[in-house]
Amino acid sequence: MQIKLSDHFSYGKLLRFTLPSIIMMVISSIYSVVDGLFVSNLVGDLALSSVNIVFPVAMIVGSFGFMLGTGGSAIVARTMGEGDQEQANRYFSMIILAVVLLGAVLSLFCVIYMAPIARFAGASDALIDDCIVYGRILLAGSVPFMLQTSFQSFFVVAEKPHMGLILSIAAGLTNMVLDYVLIAVCGLGVAGAAIATVIGYCVGGVLPLLYFLNPRRDGIRLTRTRFYGKQLLHACTNGSSELMSNISSSIVAILYNIQLMRLIGEQGVAAYSVMMYVDFVFVAAFLGFSIGSAPIVSYHYGAANHSELKNVFRKSITVILCTSAAMVALSELLSRPLASAFVSYDPALLEMTVYGFRLFALCYLFNGINIYASSFFTALCNGALSALISFLRSLLLRGGMVLFMPLLFGLDGIWTAVIAAEGLAVIVSAGLLYAMRGRYHYL
């Protein structure tokens, strides 16, 4: 039986409804992981470092799609909860059109200015050529990438999270197969990795357009629309936390790369690359649950169903806390085999990566609550509080700690900076959740 946003959610129903989004986010994160595996083992650690220099730039561009998707989906779900399906369709169509236009502009800019962008992101003379090749191809695919990140939220609003999952699996498999063909068989190196990723983006970002263009389907669909300035601005401000989180994470990744280049050179960037690939997958579980549960929150908020809002919030916090503990344990157990998959060819680099990741992984005790709290306020259409949490945890605290802690602890300060940042941020998140309980009636 299909689960509806209007249903009462038990733990089982909540997990069944959010599981496709969780898997979808995990599979989407595997894009970079697969690229890293093939590039590291078949091209080398310098090429791996080049990919990691450029990837934060691509994530900054993609974050605009994530912003419009999460911010816009809350508006669309709330409008559905208010009973106006046709207006929800028009809002949805306008937001998707905005994603396409913005993606085209950002793509053109990045392709033209890739060389100075790569230098700014920390590329050394040894890395710059691969950075330019990989970056120009990858950023040329910004429109389908942004569409894919947007549709991840809208498939949940459409009560079809399984469709998003199917397309994410198809996109991931496409990327994996083409990575092998273009890198291992054709010998295209980092260019092959970028081409494979962009084609995967097209599967996950372009095919949903055909699905939502079907005029006979129920629920949200693409239709004739017009410019709704107020709603577009609201979508941007409401999704600003997700934009801030992604941009800040990318800026902090650039700061990590610059600090590591200063302390130990290209090998430090390669070690951090491996940690980030694993981190993408682990954090994707928190993001997927938050994306999957957000439309439920938005719907019941729009319907003024306070009892179900309380039910979903309490169960979600329990799920996040249990998952956080499990992730820390799993990270400590799997740190060596995961690192070995990337850099087993270099024993010194392997030991550095394992040691650093065992420290870094303690951040999972805190960042699940921070991610959920930010997403929860977005779902309640309070973009300001959501953006505040994202700004503090992902830019101010993480950026500040990665600059400050190496002064005291050297290389260990880089690996542990994220723990201190997320630990401080969780105090703010918990305080805001408690302070706003009376306004939104979720406690």
Side-chain angles (χ1 to χ4, degrees):
M1 181 181 295
Q2 182 178 338
I3 301 173
K4 300 288 187 179
L5 292 176
S6 56
D7 287 353
H8 170 71
F9 283 82
S10 62
Y11 278 108
K13 185 173 286 188
L14 179 62
L15 291 174
R16 289 198 305 274
F17 189 79
T18 57
L19 185 61
S21 296
I22 294 170
I23 298 174
M24 182 169 59
M25 288 300 295
V26 169
I27 291 174
S28 296
S29 71
I30 289 175
Y31 282 137
S32 57
V33 176
V34 172
D35 282 355
L37 281 170
F38 278 101
V39 169
S40 181
N41 287 285
L42 297 178
V43 188
D45 60 327
L46 288 180
L48 176 64
S49 298
S50 299
V51 170
N52 193 54
I53 292 289
V54 172
F55 193 73
V57 179
M59 291 305 296
I60 289 174
V61 173
S63 65
F64 286 93
F66 199 40
M67 171 192 71
L68 288 168
T70 54
S73 65
I75 294 171
V76 172
R78 185 184 64 184
T79 305
M80 291 170 59
E82 293 168 348
D84 193 344
Q85 183 64 55
E86 289 303 314
Q87 190 63 38
N89 290 341
R90 288 190 285 269
Y91 290 158
F92 168 57
S93 303
M94 177 198 64
I95 290 167
I96 294 302
L97 180 60
V99 169
V100 172
L101 295 176
L102 181 59
V105 172
L106 292 174
S107 180
L108 181 62
F109 176 85
C110 290
V111 168
I112 293 173
Y113 294 104
M114 193 64 243
I117 290 172
R119 285 291 190 186
F120 176 78
S124 64
D125 290 340
L127 305 178
I128 187 64
D129 289 342
D130 279 345
C131 286
I132 292 173
V133 170
Y134 184 79
R136 281 181 172 162
I137 297 172
L138 189 67
L139 272 300
S142 295
V143 171
F145 180 36
M146 289 173 62
L147 283 172
Q148 182 177 9
T149 58
S150 298
F151 283 128
Q152 286 170 349
S153 297
F154 282 114
F155 270 120
V156 182
V157 176
E159 298 174 331
K160 301 287 185 180
H162 61 282
M163 289 296 299
L165 174 59
I166 291 170
L167 286 169
S168 289
I169 292 173
L173 290 174
T174 300
N175 185 33
M176 293 178 196
V177 171
L178 290 178
D179 263 330
Y180 176 77
V181 172
L182 297 177
I183 300 175
V185 178
C186 299
L188 295 181
V190 294
I195 294 169
T197 300
V198 170
I199 295 176
Y201 289 159
C202 291
V203 174
V206 177
L207 292 183
L209 288 173
L210 302 178
Y211 176 80
F212 284 110
L213 279 168
N214 182 359
R216 294 187 299 274
R217 67 172 307 278
D218 295 328
I220 62 169
R221 57 185 177 83
L222 292 170
T223 185
R224 293 178 66 89
T225 188
R226 64 178 180 83
F227 179 68
Y228 296 94
K230 181 180 178 180
Q231 282 70 30
L232 182 60
L233 178 61
H234 192 188
C236 293
T237 55
N238 194 40
S240 61
S241 60
E242 283 67 30
L243 174 69
M244 176 61 68
S245 180
N246 282 275
I247 289 180
S248 299
S249 296
S250 298
I251 291 173
V252 170
I254 291 170
L255 291 176
Y256 266 87
N257 290 333
I258 292 172
Q259 287 281 66
L260 287 164
M261 288 291 291
R262 180 180 63 84
L263 288 173
I264 50 177
E266 286 86 359
Q267 276 211 330
V269 176
Y272 178 63
S273 301
V274 177
M275 296 179 206
M276 287 301 96
Y277 290 137
V278 178
D279 186 60
F280 289 151
V281 177
F282 278 48
V283 170
F286 292 129
L287 290 171
F289 180 83
S290 298
I291 290 171
S293 61
I296 304 172
V297 173
S298 298
Y299 184 92
H300 289 288
Y301 171 58
N305 188 349
H306 298 152
S307 61
E308 187 59 23
L309 195 57
K310 292 177 182 178
N311 171 61
V312 172
F313 175 74
R314 290 170 179 171
K315 285 181 169 60
S316 296
I317 291 295
T318 302
V319 170
I320 290 292
L321 291 175
C322 292
T323 304
S324 297
M327 280 191 175
V328 172
L330 195 62
S331 299
E332 300 298 330
L333 288 172
L334 297 180
S335 57
R336 183 168 294 276
L338 288 172
S340 297
F342 288 88
V343 293
S344 59
Y345 55 82
D346 189 327
L349 180 56
L350 174 61
E351 292 304 317
M352 181 196 304
T353 305
V354 172
Y355 174 78
F357 185 65
R358 283 176 173 166
L359 293 175
F360 179 94
L362 295 175
C363 75
Y364 299 130
L365 289 171
F366 310 115
N367 65 0
I369 289 293
N370 292 325
I371 291 169
Y372 180 77
S374 178
S375 176
F376 184 72
F377 283 119
T378 297
L380 294 172
C381 297
N382 191 330
L385 287 185
S386 182
L388 175 62
I389 294 172
S390 293
F391 174 75
L392 285 174
R393 66 173 287 265
S394 57
L395 183 59
L396 185 63
L397 291 174
R398 280 199 179 196
M401 289 299 172
V402 79
L403 293 174
F404 172 70
M405 290 188 68
L407 299 176
L408 299 178
F409 305 109
L411 186 59
D412 282 356
I414 292 183
W415 308 141
T416 56
V418 65
I419 305 171
E422 294 286 355
L424 292 171
V426 82
I427 298 173
V428 177
S429 296
L432 289 173
L433 287 170
Y434 183 77
M436 301 303 292
R437 69 195 187 284
R439 177 175 176 180
Y440 293 109
H441 309 287
Y442 51 78
L443 275 180

